[in-house]
Every structure is written in C-alpha cells, then in structure tokens.
Amino acid sequence: MSYIIVGLGNPGEEYKDTRHNAGRIVLEYFAQKHALPEFKQHIKSKALVSKGEITVGNTTENVELVEPNNFMNRSGSSVATLAGIGMLTSKASATKKAHNIIVIYDDLDLPLGSIKISFNRSSGGHRGVESIIKSVKTQEFIRVRVGICPLTPAGKPKKPQGETDVEKFIIGPFKKNELEELNKIAKDVAEALELIMFETKERAMEKFN
C-alpha cells in the first residue's frame, strides 16, 4: 500500500517555525528518522514532496511525504493532485483513495505536548483541513492533530481568546521551550504514523488518544 502523508503549514522562511506550521515541522522529523530523500518541488501539485520506502520488521510501505506550497487555505489542491483525485473522479473512487491520506496539522484545542488521531471528522474550523475535504471530495481520511495550546505554570491549557489574538498566536513563532516540546512529541507522531501504516489506525488511536 502507498500512503500520502501531508504536513500542513504555510510556505516561506518567515513561517518556518510558526505554530501554524507544526504539521510541517513534525513531518520533517519523520522524514529524517527514516532517512527519506530530500523534499523537492513537484511542479504539477505545487508542493514539496519526498518519496521513499519505510520498513518496519519485515514489512515495507511506500510513502509520499507532502508539504503543500500553497498557503494553508489552498492546501487541498496539492493533496488532490498527488492522490489522483480530479473533477471527474467519482465520489466512491475519491473516498477509496482518501483512505490512504494522513494529514498532520496544528490544533489550538489540544494542549502543547499532546496529539490526537481521528478519522472521518469535520474540519473543526481548520482552514487547511477544510480545503482538503473540499478538494478530495470526502472527509474520510486520517488526521494527526498536534496540540499547540499554551499551558499555564500549573499545566492547564490557556487558549487565546478572540479572532485577532488567535490569529496572532497561531502565526507567531514557537518559543524555544515550545519547540523543544514539539520535537519531543514528534517522536510520538512518528510512532503513530508507523502504527497506522503497519498495523491499523485503530491501534494508533488506542495508544495515543
């Protein structure tokens, strides 16, 4: 089976270490862990792509790691192109192809240092996920949500309030200690991806949700 694993974020050096790019940051850790090829520009899909094989035990799976080079709210067109889903693709065929798509993205409703795996859910207001649902004609794909919500000194979530503050927060850069926490959780994301590919998504949910 071949999997398309998407790390959502915004292109450009100015967005590299921002909270909204948590999906990209974590995906790059996964690529490094498995010594996958360097990301290269895929002109047709307007995305950076790394193709390779991952072996766990005696089993090997083909993977295509994707960083859309469109802004977040236009991510879907890149994913649909690489998945082979176009205007003439039937809903049934699109859904079948979408089952091999895994999308990693930031989630302000989850505390920093946590992840959650879901399947066949709404976008939850995340514009990147909304774009993918629209482009691939279904919400039946796997998501790995990476928490970015700040914590109080007591360890309780403290979500920014109001549209302006939320926008400012998610496009703001991670603090040094936050990046360190994200790098730690990247190891869990990598393990979750391996469980999804080599066992089942249910097994990954059981362990990490």
Side-chain angles (χ1 to χ4, degrees), residues 191-206:
E191 185 179 350
L193 292 173
E194 290 157 12
L195 285 173
I196 290 167
M197 291 188 291
F198 293 95
E199 294 190 35
T200 63
K201 62 181 181 295
E202 289 77 15
R203 175 72 182 93
M205 292 175 186
E206 178 186 322

Side-chain angles (χ1 to χ4, degrees), residues 30-76:
F30 183 75
Q32 291 172 5
K33 177 184 178 182
H34 290 283
L36 292 169
E38 181 181 349
F39 284 86
K40 293 184 178 180
Q41 183 70 45
H42 187 275
I43 302 299
K44 186 177 180 181
S45 67
K46 296 182 180 179
L48 295 173
V49 176
S50 172
K51 292 183 180 181
E53 294 181 340
I54 293 176
T55 300
V56 173
N58 297 319
T59 307
T60 298
E61 297 285 5
N62 294 314
V63 294
E64 195 167 8
L65 308 189
V66 180
E67 293 181 347
N69 250 353
N70 295 307
F71 280 94
M72 185 74 79
N73 62 350
R74 295 182 179 178
S75 303

Side-chain angles (χ1 to χ4, degrees), residues 91-131:
K91 179 68 182 294
S93 179
T95 299
K96 184 177 180 181
K97 292 179 178 182
H99 284 186
N100 294 342
I101 297 172
I102 305 170
V103 181
I104 311 169
Y105 61 98
D106 60 294
D107 192 325
L108 189 53
D109 290 325
L110 293 178
L112 180 69
S114 65
I115 66 172
K116 191 167 185 178
I117 301 157
S118 58
F119 174 76
N120 194 20
R121 298 290 183 90
S122 70
S123 69
H126 193 284
R127 293 177 181 176
V129 179
E130 284 178 2
S131 176

